[in-house]
């Protein structure tokens, strides 16, 4: 359990501290957040295995945050809420939560539910590589192969293409890329442009007319999954995920830069 990372998102500082203390006593690593804004920042850096969250937060709905989380790595989610009606529970589970615990609750039940969720997490095999047609990303060795050729990428270029791949073709703004692909806080969007240009020189047939990493006007950049997935015979290869080992080993490999 010592390697299991838990993020608590709870507006009540006393409850937040109490839950954190009990989880730490049980051997978990814990990060705390008081609102959605800080929760998103913490999630990007900590990459927790389990998120425990309140539904009513000072700057928005926990259900919206739950849906946001599902788009970024699919962590396990436990909702804590004083709303005990069946429609509330159903809404929470439909938003992507794996468990729903009604307030008030006993600490023993809370810890038992956390343990049950983390047992489920340990049974999930972790991806060690991602393959989209001609593009293969080795998450353990941090290497990229494109059209059967290994591409010599810097650690930062690897993180950038991995984050673009995670978006599965959706455009990401420069601010999103800076927040998710860079290990340190950087607010200069030109940094993204420079690294995208460098990536294009390494993987595009013609960097001046890019087909793989596309510019989305007034937004940012996207990875052209459709183009990458097209094989030489004109068919489309499905994205494949090969998994072995523990989730934490891969998260550490992906998130380490340098």
């Amino acid at each position: 359990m010592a390697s299991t990372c838990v993020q608590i998102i709870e507006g009540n500082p006393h409850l937040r501290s109490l839950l954190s203390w009990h989880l730490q006593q049980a051997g978990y690593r814990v990060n705390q957040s008081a609102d959605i804004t800080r929760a998103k920042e913490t999630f990007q850096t900590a990459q927790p295995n389990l998120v425990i969250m309140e539904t009513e937060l000072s700057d928005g709905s926990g259900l919206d945050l739950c849906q946001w989380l599902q788009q970024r790595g699919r962590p396990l989610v436990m909702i804590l809420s004083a709303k005990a009606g069946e429609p509330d529970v159903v809404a929470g589970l439909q938003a992507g939560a794996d468990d729903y615990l009604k307030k008030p609750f006993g600490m023993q039940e809370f810890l038992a539910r956390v343990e049950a969720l983390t047992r489920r997490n340990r049974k999930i095999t972790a991806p060690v590589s991602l393959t989209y047609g001609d593009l293969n990303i080795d998450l353990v060795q941090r290497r990229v192969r494109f059209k059967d050729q290994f591409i010599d990428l810097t650690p930062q270029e690897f993180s950038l293409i991995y984050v673009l791949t995670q978006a599965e073709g959706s455009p990401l703004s420069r601010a999103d890329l800076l927040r998710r692909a860079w290990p340190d806080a950087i607010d200069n969007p030109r940094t993204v442009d420079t690294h995208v240009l460098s990536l294009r020189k390494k993987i595009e047939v013609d960097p001046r007319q890019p087909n793989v990493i596309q510019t989305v006007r007034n937004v940012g950049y996207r990875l052209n999954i459709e183009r990458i997935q097209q094989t030489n015979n004109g068919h489309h290869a499905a994205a494949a995920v090969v998994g072995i080992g523990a989730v934490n080993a891969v998260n550490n490999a992906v998130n380490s830069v340098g």
Side-chain angles (χ1 to χ4, degrees):
M1 271 188 298
S3 61
T4 300
C5 180
V6 180
Q7 180 178 356
I8 300 175
I9 308 169
E10 167 62 55
N12 184 324
H14 302 293
L15 178 58
R16 191 170 66 243
S17 297
L18 180 64
L19 296 178
S20 177
W21 185 86
H22 278 281
L23 288 171
Q24 289 171 339
Q25 291 297 109
Y28 297 93
R29 293 183 292 114
V30 181
N31 292 282
Q32 300 182 37
S33 308
D35 54 43
I36 291 176
T37 301
R38 293 181 179 86
K40 289 182 177 180
E41 295 173 354
T42 300
F43 179 82
Q44 301 284 9
T45 55
Q47 292 291 306
N49 310 104
L50 171 63
V51 175
I52 300 171
M53 57 185 296
E54 166 64 85
T55 55
E56 300 297 320
L57 296 163
S58 61
D59 55 349
S61 168
L63 297 184
D64 291 339
L65 177 60
C66 189
Q67 293 175 334
W68 182 88
L69 290 170
Q70 302 317 302
Q71 300 170 0
R72 289 161 175 82
R74 188 63 175 85
L76 294 170
V77 175
M78 176 192 290
I79 284 180
L80 309 178
S81 180
K83 294 184 176 180
E86 181 178 358
D88 300 308
V89 177
V90 170
L93 296 175
Q94 288 181 338
D98 299 278
D99 197 2
Y100 193 106
L101 184 56
K102 304 169 187 176
K103 296 180 179 180
F105 51 82
M107 193 56 62
Q108 288 187 335
E109 178 184 3
F110 168 75
L111 292 173
R113 287 175 178 262
V114 169
E115 171 60 19
L117 286 173
T118 55
R119 279 201 307 269
R120 183 192 310 179
N121 198 39
R122 286 194 291 270
K123 294 178 182 177
I124 300 174
T125 56
V128 298
S129 67
L130 303 176
T131 300
Y132 291 86
D134 290 329
L135 177 67
N136 176 268
I137 301 177
D138 186 329
L139 302 180
V140 176
Q141 298 297 323
R142 294 179 62 83
R143 296 194 303 175
V144 171
R145 189 175 70 249
F146 187 60
K147 294 185 181 295
D148 296 323
Q149 297 290 328
F150 282 104
I151 309 300
D152 185 19
L153 301 182
T154 67
Q156 190 56 64
E157 288 169 350
F158 177 89
S159 296
L160 178 58
I161 197 168
Y162 172 73
V163 169
L164 285 168
T165 304
Q166 277 189 313
E168 298 184 342
S170 297
L172 294 174
S173 68
R174 291 171 176 80
D176 285 336
L177 290 168
L178 284 173
R179 183 170 60 252
R180 295 170 58 181
W182 266 258
D184 303 311
I186 299 175
D187 58 5
N188 183 3
R190 297 298 300 172
T191 300
V192 176
D193 298 334
T194 300
H195 282 80
V196 167
L197 178 61
S198 178
L199 265 177
R200 283 172 169 169
K201 290 179 179 178
K202 295 179 179 181
I203 65 176
E204 298 280 3
V205 175
D206 183 357
R208 294 169 299 180
Q209 296 181 337
N211 288 315
V212 178
I213 301 177
Q214 295 181 317
T215 300
V216 181
R217 187 180 298 274
N218 298 325
V219 179
Y221 298 98
R222 70 180 289 268
L223 199 65
N224 188 355
I225 297 295
E226 299 84 1
R227 176 76 176 185
I228 294 171
Q229 286 182 327
Q230 184 158 10
T231 60
N232 293 332
N233 61 9
H235 294 291
H236 290 267
V241 177
V242 180
I244 59 173
V247 172
N248 289 328
V250 174
N251 284 339
N252 291 337
V254 172
N255 292 321
S256 61
V257 175

